[in-house]
Amino acid sequence: MSHDHHDEGNGISRRRVLECMTWAGTGVLWTVTGGVPHSLGLVGSAAAAEAKGMTFLQISDSHVGFDKPANPNALGTLEEAINKVKAMPAKPSFMIHTGDITHLSKAQEFDDAERIISQAKLDVHYVPGEHDIIDEEVKLYKERYGRGTKGGGWYSFDAGGVHFVGLVNVANLKGGGLGSLGNDQLEWLEDDLKGKSKSTPWCCSPISRCGRCIRNGAGAPRTAPARSTTSRALAR
């Protein structure tokens, strides 16, 4: 799930799809089979409706508070997406919001998002986008979603026999907006995976900015320890 695939024909990336899906009033349903995550399609599609086994739902970039022409009613499109989730015949095991819950990290924006998302009545996991952590001391995001996390908000959990890892690479953006994980987070990742059997599949939640940074090192620190840590973690 950490790859940032591109359609060679038209240059559309999976990341771009994630940016647009909540504004289109939908989300993506996933499952994990044989240790590999597979997309079952958008919520409301026939494939998603027929899903069996452990599934989880992904929404992203709801940008609650945004009101420009591109999406003058961001809260309304988030509500549309959640209404589709509520109508699913088989509920997912959980939901993950992969960043930019809000547009300007305002308390009312967080409150409005929570009011709508909670209506899905699912266990929800969050990782921040850069728009969620622009308030002083990142207080508003951490108060709501940062309890029990490490460092800038990274954490892990288990569901359906799969180990999920939520990483954060928007806390210290580099030149050109390139995301950065940092040595502390990479070292935590290695330590986190040490307690898991090699037969346990693990899935890195899609990162808000540079979704490919774990697999090919983009956005990771260029130091040897960081590269070594990433290699050891991925060698599992």
Side-chain angles (χ1 to χ4, degrees):
M1 288 181 62
S2 56
H3 289 312
D4 190 17
H5 296 298
H6 286 261
D7 185 316
E8 298 297 334
N10 57 23
I12 297 175
S13 69
R14 183 178 62 79
R15 175 64 195 151
R16 180 59 178 160
V17 172
L18 297 181
E19 289 175 346
C20 295
M21 67 182 177
T22 303
W23 280 17
T26 191
V28 175
L29 191 68
W30 294 85
T31 189
V32 179
T33 56
V36 179
H38 299 279
S39 169
L40 297 174
L42 298 177
V43 174
S45 68
E50 296 172 0
K52 294 180 175 61
M54 195 278 284
T55 62
F56 62 97
L57 179 71
Q58 180 189 5
I59 62 173
S60 185
D61 295 86
S62 47
H63 283 277
V64 170
F66 185 89
D67 60 359
K68 299 299 186 291
N71 186 8
N73 185 14
L75 187 63
T77 48
L78 174 61
E79 186 169 23
E80 182 181 347
I82 297 303
N83 283 339
K84 289 179 181 178
V85 175
K86 291 162 61 178
M88 293 178 68
K91 292 294 187 289
S93 298
F94 64 89
M95 181 192 309
I96 182 166
H97 192 304
T98 48
D100 289 342
I101 307 159
T102 70
H103 192 59
L104 295 174
S105 299
K106 293 181 178 180
Q108 188 61 55
E109 294 175 350
F110 279 113
D111 290 345
D112 286 343
E114 177 63 22
R115 175 173 55 83
I116 298 301
I117 293 173
S118 65
Q119 293 175 18
K121 300 188 184 306
L122 293 173
D123 183 17
V124 185
H125 301 273
Y126 294 87
V127 291
E130 63 268 34
H131 285 265
D132 299 320
I133 57 173
I134 58 178
D135 62 306
E136 188 175 357
E137 299 179 356
V138 197
K139 181 179 179 181
L140 296 174
Y141 177 87
K142 287 184 175 179
E143 283 181 346
R144 289 164 171 78
Y145 312 115
R147 295 174 185 172
T149 64
K150 306 294 184 181
W154 52 86
Y155 64 98
S156 64
F157 63 96
D158 296 289
V162 180
H163 187 62
F164 291 86
V165 180
L167 299 176
V168 178
N169 74 337
V170 295
N172 296 291
L173 297 179
K174 304 303 182 182
L178 183 64
S180 174
L181 293 176
N183 289 338
D184 288 348
Q185 189 169 191
L186 289 170
E187 289 170 1
W188 168 85
L189 174 62
E190 180 184 19
D191 187 63
D192 178 71
L193 295 177
K194 281 180 181 177
K196 298 298 176 183
S197 165
K198 289 186 177 181
S199 63
T200 301
W202 67 282
C203 184
C204 173
S205 67
I207 303 173
S208 180
R209 178 163 285 268
C210 178
R212 63 186 179 275
C213 68
I214 293 299
R215 288 299 177 190
N216 66 14
R222 297 297 180 181
T223 63
R227 292 197 301 270
S228 176
T229 298
T230 307
S231 297
R232 288 195 299 271
L234 292 173
R236 289 172 44 79

